[in-house]
Amino acid sequence: MCGLGGILNRYGERMSGREIIRMSCMMRDRYDGRGGGFAGYGIYPRYAEYYALHLFFRDELAKERTEELLKDRVAIIKDERIPMRRVKEIPQENIVWRYFVEVPHRFSNRREYLEKEEDYITELVFTINDCIDGAFVASSGKNMGVFKATGMPDAVAEMYRVEKYRAYCWITHGRFPTNTPGWWGGAHPFNLLDWSVVHNGEISSYGTNKRYLEAHGYKCRLLTDTEVVAYLFDLLVRKQGLSLRSAAIALTPPFWKQIERMPEPKRSAFTALRMTYSQAMLNGPFAVIITNRDTMVGLNDRIKLRPLIAASSDDCVYLASEEAAIREVEENINRLWAPRAGNPVIARLDEEVREEVIH
Amino acid sequence: MVRNFPPEFVVRVDREACINCLRCVRECPFGVHEYDREKKTWKRHHEKCVACLRCAYMCPTQAISIERSPMEYAPHPVWTNRVRKDIKTQAETGAVILTAMGNELPYPSYFDRLVLDACQVTNPSIDPLREPMELRTYIGRKPEKVELEEEDSSIRLRTKIAPNLKLETPIMFAHMSYGSISIEAHLSMARAAKEVGTYMGTGEGGMHVELYPYADHIITQVASGRFAVHEEYLKRGAAIEIKIGQGAKPGIGGHLPGKKVTEEISQTRMIPEGSDAISPAPHHDIYSIEDLSRLIYALKEATRYKKPVFVKIAAVHNVAPIAVGIIRAGADAVVLDGFRAGTGAAPQVHRDHHGIPIEAAIASVDRRLREEGIRHWGSIIASGGIRSSADVAKAIALGADAVYIGTAALIALGCTVCKKCYTGRCAWGIATQDPELRKRLDPEEGARRAANLLRAWSHELKEILGALGLNSIESLRSNRDRLRGVGLTEPELRVLGVKPAGE
Ligand code: SF4
Ligand code: SF4
């Protein structure tokens, strides 16, 4: 059991971390204190054009070795210790640092520059996580960051001073781990570039998904199943150009019986998506919230074995494991509903939130 | 010289129960039971008995029992009874020992050393009686990615999808030729395949006219003998399989003796009646991967790119790079036939000593195709020694897309694995062309049993998926995380890509 929460301000107006912390606290029963975290989008407006790398180091040596690698691969615009308070519940195991970096211009004279640049950063992240003992990249997107640790979410928020950041989109997660040991890197949100994921449940198809991703150059080494969700969105949406809706069709496709009843040309499209992405399909009980710089998506497994509630007010869209978490922070709810199994709820900046009916 | 050759079986007849109806005399195709009408005496030729058990089940008074002969040579761990008998046989005949069905040596089975996971608490298992559970599988080339035209709620496919076979269950009937088995056996499997929504292979003997109504569920075969291969034949089936080798006898060809080439077989195979049907070891136009590629595309051209083309090979030491080459050469699926695969006739030395286990072949081919980033170019079909739904599940978890079953299908039709298929005297009407023996297999009953087997295994597969907390077979494919090895060595675990139990 875990608890998820997310808020997106449709107009891109930034809000302090207080509300997401309150949402998180409301679902305390769902956590056991072995992992909590937050991700905020819009928190670094002064450095918005740079990749913000949040890093955990177990010791000075790991930090030195990482910095050597960073200096070799990217230009560091600024780096600093992430300001933190001491909290007694969480032992200070790691050195936590952030780097604002850009990719040197010698890589920029190609056409598909942006995509290449993102692949370049992805590669860098995998190299650090994979090759440098005791170093871990918690997040690598622009104008965003992940704050997570082993502990209750409220303690984690207190430690990172989450309430002092302002973001137009926040997500949170509290953990009750049953499958993998609790460590800082194993807490949610998981992140790669702009993609962040919080997840409740289990991806029973992990082995299949992992091998599919590995064949596409991703390295799944985090000892947990959630990372595949982030990588699958990155692969399907960023690299292969699927829309969020089509990616959801690939990840939680309707049953064949439903597809057979569809009219053409819809049936062919759904059939092709399911055939082609059969190994990307997510199976097992789960609810996830996936975010990137302008979008927040909520998604359940195909038979809805984990809770997920959606709501909207005039300004904001909410997703949470429990209705109470949303009611805690929003009095003027226009609409509140339980999305159907396998249907993605897509909330984007400047758009009306919608549940895509694919099932 | 005295022929000191103990029989394998002894036929015991309860004299009190026997009513001298002589049914056993008519039923036994091997001439075990002999009755002298004048002297009114019985003689049982124990040495001819193959333990097919036909007589025992047909005897109206259940007077017959077949037992293993208690008479054996003195025990010796190295010079086993079988070794001694083989040597004596060869000393007598000067010939290669012929046999049938699959590898008999006690190699360990990896399937039996792999166990499946199950859900407890944190991930609920799924009840297939209450929730949808999907086994549908597509065999063939998949695109790297799908391109769509999307507007508001409309969605339209722009990518062209290569032809794929749609299987309602990931189990197909393996290629066994008409000639090696009877038309009744073929009809049984064809009907069952159509009914359940899967496919059967013709083998290299062509497609008998009686199978035409089921042709959309039949995979035709192009083997080194090229029997029956013509445009109509290729176009009639649902897919085409080029057979390079088979697991029961890797590296060697086949031989259907002229006396088995009856009129009907001669018509179906398109060879003269009574002539030997010889399949050479290699295809005489394939001496390299380029040649194979040319044949693949020749077949695709002939069928206007509407039929997927598979290539079947025996699982041999270097199976991974060979399979990769086959997929790169344009095949839509590679069929891996493991060293336990059955056959109608093979030299014992080949059957028992060539090739590698199918489990290792699946794992290494799946891995290599992924490493090269071309796993989606073609499917992996595993065959050879698949005995149960659990074997199917494990094969898929190791990386196969679907499996072929041969021996298991024949057993469903009544085969008792007596290993005498090559004699053409099958007591159960399966591996025979004798009109009298063939009557013993009723294709309608056969179809019902073959379909039942598929249904039973499919049902069990759904239960297995449910226990794993999955509701679709594609989430088991290559999901080696849901397998653990018991009693396997480090290198074996590494090849199979699974962790030891407890880890
Ligand atoms: S079939 Fe049975 S009852 Fe009839 S002759 Fe043979 S042993 Fe006797
Ligand atoms: S098919 Fe017939 S001859 Fe061959 S093993 Fe089975 S029962 Fe014996």
Side-chain angles (χ1 to χ4, degrees), chain B residues 413-457:
Chain B
L413 299 182
C415 161
T416 55
V417 195
C418 72
K419 301 171 284 182
K420 288 293 176 285
C421 321
Y422 62 93
T423 62
R425 306 292 303 150
C426 176
W428 300 97
I430 298 164
T432 182
Q433 303 305 323
D434 180 320
E436 281 308 310
L437 294 174
R438 275 169 44 200
K439 282 188 200 150
R440 297 179 180 184
L441 176 62
D442 169 11
E444 220 155 274
E445 174 69 8
R448 199 174 63 78
R449 290 178 161 267
N452 269 349
L453 180 73
L454 291 179
R455 284 201 200 96
W457 285 17

Side-chain angles (χ1 to χ4, degrees), chain B residues 37-73:
Chain B
R37 280 170 198 271
E38 267 147 43
K39 291 192 202 135
K40 294 202 164 42
T41 54
W42 280 99
K43 179 157 176 45
R44 313 281 172 181
H45 299 275
H46 302 291
E47 75 287 354
K48 291 185 182 164
C49 178
V50 302
C52 69
L53 306 191
R54 178 77 190 180
C55 61
Y57 284 100
M58 299 313 287
C59 170
T61 62
Q62 296 173 345
I64 306 173
S65 75
I66 312 290
E67 293 164 13
R68 284 190 79 136
S69 167
M71 183 155 86
E72 291 198 329
Y73 298 121

